[in-house]
Amino acid sequence: MDFQSEKRLVRDYYAALDSAEGPMIEDVMTRFVADDYIWRGYHPFHEQTSGQDVARVFWQPFRQAFTRMQRRMDIFIAGKNEMDGFQSTWVISMGHLMGIFKKPWLGIPPTGKIGIMRYCEFNKLEDGKITETAMFFDIPMVMMQAGLQPFPPQTGTHMVQPGPMTHTGLCFDPQDPLEGEKTLAAINFMIGDIRDWKDREPEGLEIELPRSWNDDMIWWGPAGIGASYTIDGYIRGHSGPFRDGLGDMTFNGHLCRLAEGEFGGFFGWPNLTILPEGGFMGMPATGKYSDMRVIDMYRRDGDKLTENWIFIDLLHFWNQQGVDILARTTKDAQP
């Protein structure tokens, strides 16, 4: 399959959604999404079960705050979902939503300047309608642009993250299916190697990671953790602190995993259930388990992965630990 009709439907949906204003956004959602629609979003939005609810709860308030919005896509791919035996078709879009941050949003004071929010969206297509969406977006990134500090200092670097170094992520045209198979195989090898690390003799990340990653890898992490470059930088900037600060961990699986061309990704709801042992992201141990909802997007170079864009619902994760990051950080903020 070349997925051209599915890609066209999602691009038409974006064109209509991004140009609509106010109540017209609900009309767009009604036109493009199914009656039994499921939308999975970042805290504090969580699950919504109709297009109208998504419009009222997320899109309309966001668009009122961020005027003249542009969708600046870096990756656009489609494929069959490995998690259901390659039966369903999904279209993935990743990039930034950009506008002029004119009004408060979620208690975050406006800057009156350009505001940018990373996003990644998985859309399931059935019978000419969008039936499921997972849309994760980096709210802490917006908070930091407004001068707020939701987390202690990061182990990685905070920035507006670029798209693929090759500038080949917008796969509007059909792709070589063999390249997609190679990418999915590389992603699956990496997942399996991570899941097996606790059952192996201690070997160290310096030995483990080069099996899956090129040495010049880039890990584009969420605001609060930040980005890291090279395997050594990734060990220092995220993977080392992650394993040191998080204890008992259960892998819950993914709802969707696919690849097209040299790009691929997955999401779970939740991916992981983790018991923090203290220190991760500067937070103390609480003795409570927390779910981690994650979207990962990848670029493969050769036989290994080389770029990785990560979306983690950190607000939800820490809220389960008893810390309402959003409320705590915005309570004294003045618009």
Side-chain angles (χ1 to χ4, degrees), residues 11 34 56 58 94 171 200 215 222 266 282 287:
R11 294 179 71 184
R56 297 184 194 115
F58 174 71
M94 189 202 83
C171 300
R200 293 193 296 260
D215 182 64
F266 56 72

Side-chain angles (χ1 to χ4, degrees), residues 207-267:
I207 295 175
E208 174 190 324
L209 291 174
R211 291 195 290 263
S212 299
W213 298 91
N214 290 308
D215 182 64
D216 61 349
M217 66 168 290
I218 306 178
W219 192 84
W220 301 108
I225 298 175
S228 298
Y229 176 43
T230 73
I231 285 178
D232 181 63
Y234 176 52
I235 292 171
R236 291 182 285 106
H238 176 65
S239 58
F242 184 84
R243 290 194 181 178
D244 291 342
L246 299 174
D248 187 34
M249 185 182 307
T250 300
F251 176 66
N252 301 309
H254 300 140
L255 295 187
C256 181
R257 189 190 305 161
L258 64 85
E260 185 182 31
E262 60 187 355
F263 297 93
F266 56 72
F267 82 91

Side-chain angles (χ1 to χ4, degrees), residues 176-228:
D176 182 349
L178 294 179
E179 293 300 308
E181 291 175 12
K182 292 178 184 178
T183 303
L184 190 59
I187 293 171
N188 284 333
F189 177 84
M190 178 272 301
I191 293 170
D193 209 32
I194 290 177
R195 291 181 64 183
D196 293 342
W197 74 272
K198 283 193 173 181
D199 298 327
R200 293 193 296 260
E201 291 293 325
E203 58 182 355
L205 288 164
E206 295 84 356
I207 295 175
E208 174 190 324
L209 291 174
R211 291 195 290 263
S212 299
W213 298 91
N214 290 308
D215 182 64
D216 61 349
M217 66 168 290
I218 306 178
W219 192 84
W220 301 108
I225 298 175
S228 298

Side-chain angles (χ1 to χ4, degrees), residues 15 18 48 52 62 66 95 109 116 120 132 135 139 147 173-174 197 211 226 228 244 254 275 281 317 330 333:
D18 296 350
Q48 306 293 326
Q52 292 75 21
F62 179 77
F66 288 78
I116 296 178
C120 189
E132 292 187 39
M135 184 179 179
I139 295 173
D173 298 322
W197 74 272
R211 291 195 290 263
S228 298
D244 291 342
H254 300 140
L275 180 65
M281 297 184 68
F317 181 79
T330 61

Side-chain angles (χ1 to χ4, degrees), residues 75 77 92 122 180 183-184 187 257-266 296-300 305 307-309:
I75 294 176
I77 62 173
I92 305 173
F122 282 57
T183 303
L184 190 59
I187 293 171
R257 189 190 305 161
L258 64 85
E260 185 182 31
E262 60 187 355
F263 297 93
F266 56 72
D296 273 63
M297 294 299 296
Y298 300 91
R299 178 173 71 87
R300 174 185 56 83
L305 304 174
E307 288 192 86
N308 185 193
W309 295 263

